Amino acid sequence: MKLKNHPIKAGVSNRHVHLSQEHLEILFGEGYELTPIKDLGQPGQYAAKEKVILVGPKGAIEGVRVLGPVRKATQVEISRTDAFKLGVKPPIKDSGDHEGSVGLTLVGPKGTVVLEKGVILAKRHVHMTPEDAEKLGVKDKQLVMVYCEGNGERKTIFDDVLVRVSSSYALEFHVDVDEANAAMLNNNDNVYIIEEL
């Protein structure tokens, strides 16, 4: 197996919510603004102080972090394990693609939002700049394989990893908690795009 000689930091994504301004105000109050507490790996993205409750047909998950800034449409990203607990069957989707996705109820301190769609299992992907893409010899929307050492105990190859290229991105490989746990992968671990098997 030959790896591209350019390490990529892993970012493990726990369950979280991106809110539209409309839904933010329903959940937290009119004119409400998010309170940033920690910058994330992607420029301009941050974890907010605010949390909501996810409620599905079979159960609820409390204390789910809201990420900022606000978006045009509300999106809920959960793991398959979360989906079992909530009793929903979200599809694997690229962020922002809500076609065929499912809904649930969001509960905040001031109100409730019933989503018809927007709940997804995020497709694993690599963010990168055009310069990174050129170094790695890949293109936007290309599917690649990514190799993970797994602390030497659970070496894993992730297939069907979507490449996302933009000058506003930073180089980072994103997987959800279920995928990371299966591969013994932690935040900031190095992974590599496979050049050839």
Side-chain angles (χ1 to χ4, degrees):
M1 179 171 63
K2 186 178 178 187
L3 305 177
K4 292 186 182 284
N5 188 25
H6 196 61
I8 300 167
K9 294 289 183 196
V12 179
S13 183
N14 202 351
R15 67 182 78 97
H16 61 271
V17 178
H18 301 276
L19 293 174
S20 67
Q21 184 63 38
E22 178 193 0
H23 289 165
L24 175 66
E25 294 190 24
I26 292 170
L27 294 167
F28 292 94
E30 192 175 341
Y32 196 88
E33 293 183 9
L34 290 172
T35 312
I37 56 169
K38 180 186 173 188
D39 288 337
L40 301 176
Q42 294 307 304
Q45 304 293 306
Y46 59 86
K49 180 186 80 172
E50 289 72 24
K51 295 179 181 180
V52 296
I53 303 168
L54 306 182
V55 182
K58 284 190 177 174
I61 299 175
E62 297 187 16
V64 178
R65 182 79 59 193
V66 177
L67 302 187
V70 293
R71 292 195 177 181
K72 285 186 282 187
T74 293
Q75 177 171 292
V76 179
E77 296 179 39
I78 59 175
S79 70
R80 193 157 185 245
T81 301
D82 294 334
F84 290 139
K85 180 171 183 178
L86 293 166
V88 294
K89 292 184 177 177
I92 296 171
K93 290 281 189 177
D94 187 19
S95 183
D97 178 8
H98 299 166
E99 190 67 38
S101 64
V102 298
L104 48 63
T105 300
L106 302 176
V107 179
K110 300 284 188 182
T112 298
V113 171
V114 179
L115 292 178
E116 297 297 321
K117 61 181 181 178
V119 182
I120 64 169
L121 306 178
K123 184 172 181 64
R124 51 187 174 240
H125 56 277
V126 182
H127 289 283
M128 62 181 72
T129 64
E131 293 76 21
D132 292 322
E134 191 173 333
K135 282 181 198 167
L136 287 159
V138 296
K139 292 183 170 60
D140 188 42
K141 304 297 185 197
Q142 184 177 339
L143 294 175
V144 297
M145 288 188 285
V146 169
Y147 173 74
C148 157
E149 269 292 321
N151 294 331
E153 296 174 27
R154 278 196 176 170
K155 295 175 183 172
T156 303
I157 294 172
F158 290 99
D159 202 353
D160 292 326
V161 178
L162 179 69
V163 173
R164 300 180 63 189
V165 180
S166 168
S167 56
S168 66
Y169 289 157
L171 185 61
E172 196 173 34
F173 170 59
H174 282 179
V175 288
D176 72 26
V177 169
D178 282 357
E179 295 175 294
N181 286 344
M184 303 284 284
L185 183 66
N186 299 307
N187 273 321
N188 296 316
D189 283 356
N190 284 333
V191 300
Y192 298 85
I193 290 178
I194 296 173
E195 196 163 315
E196 58 187 57
L197 283 175

